[in-house]
Amino acid sequence: MRRVSNCIFCAIVRGDAAAARVYEDDDLLAFLDIRPVTRGHTLVIAKPHAERLDDLAADVGSRMFALGHRIALALGRSDLAADGSNLVLNDGPAAFQTVPHIHLHVIPRHHGDRLRFVKGLLLRRGGETDTTAALIRDGLTRMEQP
Ligand code: AMP
Ligand code: ZN
């Protein structure tokens, strides 16, 4: 698997940097954004290092989206009780990509949260990380139940 030594997300994959993990399998990892716009803001990555869309195999991108889709649904079923979500992928510095390991943002939203969302965009403040990650994992488990 391709990993890059100075990439923070590759360091998270290796376990050399801390992250609040929400989901993991052999190929994909989802963890909380360290500077969340809203509570539960999650990043989905493929484990092998790919910097931009141009470097990402289409089937890997599809699997990233499928996991982002699943996490968005789990946010709604979890006690975070999201009413919706923004799924965003910033491809390249021109599109505000700051971490050069391609990732999909899943940002939970609530009805009437416009002001809180704008404040979150400005402040990007975290907190309750372990509890939040546990709530999302619970939401994923609830999705597996009939
Ligand atoms: P982008 O601007 O689309 O490249 O987003 C990069 C995201 O990665 C930002 O929302 C950062 O807050 C987030 N981020 C940077 N470093 C870490 C980290 N060590 N753990 C979790 N999220 C991070
Ligand atoms: Zn990387």
Side-chain angles (χ1 to χ4, degrees):
M1 181 179 297
R2 185 165 177 250
R3 286 175 184 157
V4 171
S5 59
N6 62 357
C7 170
I8 183 62
F9 289 176
C10 285
I12 289 172
V13 170
R14 287 195 303 272
D16 291 344
R21 291 170 187 244
V22 165
Y23 174 87
E24 179 164 19
D25 64 25
D26 287 347
D27 307 313
L28 300 172
L29 179 63
F31 52 94
L32 294 186
D33 195 297
I34 203 167
R35 298 181 64 226
V37 176
T38 64
R39 186 177 182 198
H41 179 170
T42 299
L43 301 176
V44 174
I45 65 170
K47 289 184 172 180
H49 184 87
E51 184 166 334
R52 294 188 51 176
L53 284 182
D54 213 15
D55 313 304
L56 188 71
D59 64 315
V60 179
S62 300
R63 286 189 347 253
M64 280 173 63
F65 185 82
L67 178 55
H69 181 179
R70 197 168 167 69
I71 288 171
L73 297 182
L75 287 163
R77 283 156 178 75
S78 77
D79 288 351
L80 292 174
D83 297 313
S85 55
N86 295 109
L87 275 68
V88 180
L89 186 150
N90 299 326
D91 176 38
F96 303 135
Q97 183 181 2
T98 59
V99 175
H101 182 137
I102 197 88
H103 49 279
L104 178 66
H105 296 256
V106 185
I107 305 171
R109 301 296 304 271
H110 290 87
H111 293 304
D113 72 353
R114 194 183 299 201
L115 282 180
R116 207 163 6 124
F117 184 80
V118 172
K119 193 173 160 198
L121 267 177
L122 294 172
L123 297 179
R124 307 289 303 266
R125 226 180 254 149
E128 302 180 275
T129 307
D130 290 342
T131 313
T132 303
L135 289 177
I136 301 171
R137 290 194 300 269
D138 279 353
L140 284 165
T141 304
R142 284 178 196 173
M143 287 184 58
E144 285 151 21
Q145 290 160 358

